[in-house]
């Protein structure tokens, strides 16, 4: 009887001490499969996702450049504050469009 009581007590103690460690992690199911994410990396990831949402994507920048006359895209460069899309217009002349990364406004067309 005493052995049974000690065994149940030990198992309860193990279960209670292991629970906080498991609560400190997050399990994510996504296209990459199942991942365990630590709390510190979750905060960094949230900040990175928030920063990426505040700007337009490269694909959106190319669409904006096409609306400005770029027919064929040769190169897309991403600088600190803008996208620079180089290509050809409908007449075959070189064209370069600079687009603000945050707002999507066209800064210049050369």
């Amino acid at each position: 009887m005493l052995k049974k009581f000690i065994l149940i007590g030990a198992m309860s103690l193990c279960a209670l001490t292991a629970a906080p460690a498991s609560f400190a992690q997050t399990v994510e199911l996504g296209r990459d499969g199942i991942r365990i994410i630590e709390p510190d990396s979750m905060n960094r990831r949230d900040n990175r996702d928030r920063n990426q949402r505040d700007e337009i994507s490269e694909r959106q920048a190319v669409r904006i450049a096409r609306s400005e006359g770029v027919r064929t895209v040769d190169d897309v460069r991403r600088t600190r504050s803008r996208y620079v899309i180089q290509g050809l217009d409908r007449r075959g002349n070189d064209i370069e469009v600079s687009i603000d990364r945050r707002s999507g406004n066209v800064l210049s067309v050369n």
Side-chain angles (χ1 to χ4, degrees):
M1 175 84 171
L2 184 61
K3 285 184 181 181
K4 196 179 216 183
F5 181 70
I6 292 174
L7 182 62
I8 291 173
M11 288 174 51
S12 299
L13 184 62
C14 288
L16 290 175
T17 57
S22 66
F23 290 139
Q25 300 172 349
T26 301
V27 176
E28 180 181 280
L29 300 172
R31 64 175 186 221
D32 298 330
I34 299 173
R35 295 188 318 175
I36 296 176
I37 301 172
E38 299 294 327
D40 291 340
S41 65
M42 283 182 4
N43 292 337
R44 286 192 304 264
R45 185 173 180 200
D46 288 343
N47 289 338
R48 187 182 72 224
D49 289 344
R50 188 175 302 119
N51 289 338
Q52 287 177 350
R53 283 191 299 253
D54 290 343
E55 65 184 40
I56 64 170
S57 67
E58 186 174 313
R59 175 179 265 174
Q60 290 170 322
V62 169
R63 286 183 184 154
I64 293 168
R66 287 189 187 277
S67 70
E68 292 297 318
V70 175
R71 178 70 58 94
T72 305
V73 176
D74 292 334
D75 186 32
V76 178
R77 284 183 291 140
R78 179 178 169 173
T79 65
R80 224 169 125 182
S81 61
R82 62 186 175 148
Y83 285 105
V84 179
I85 291 94
Q86 295 177 331
L88 301 173
D89 64 6
R90 63 184 178 91
R91 294 183 180 155
N93 297 326
D94 290 333
I95 186 171
E96 181 177 289
V97 180
S98 297
I99 300 168
D100 186 83
R101 280 181 35 192
R102 291 200 177 253
S103 66
N105 293 333
V106 176
L107 302 174
S108 67
V109 178
N110 299 327

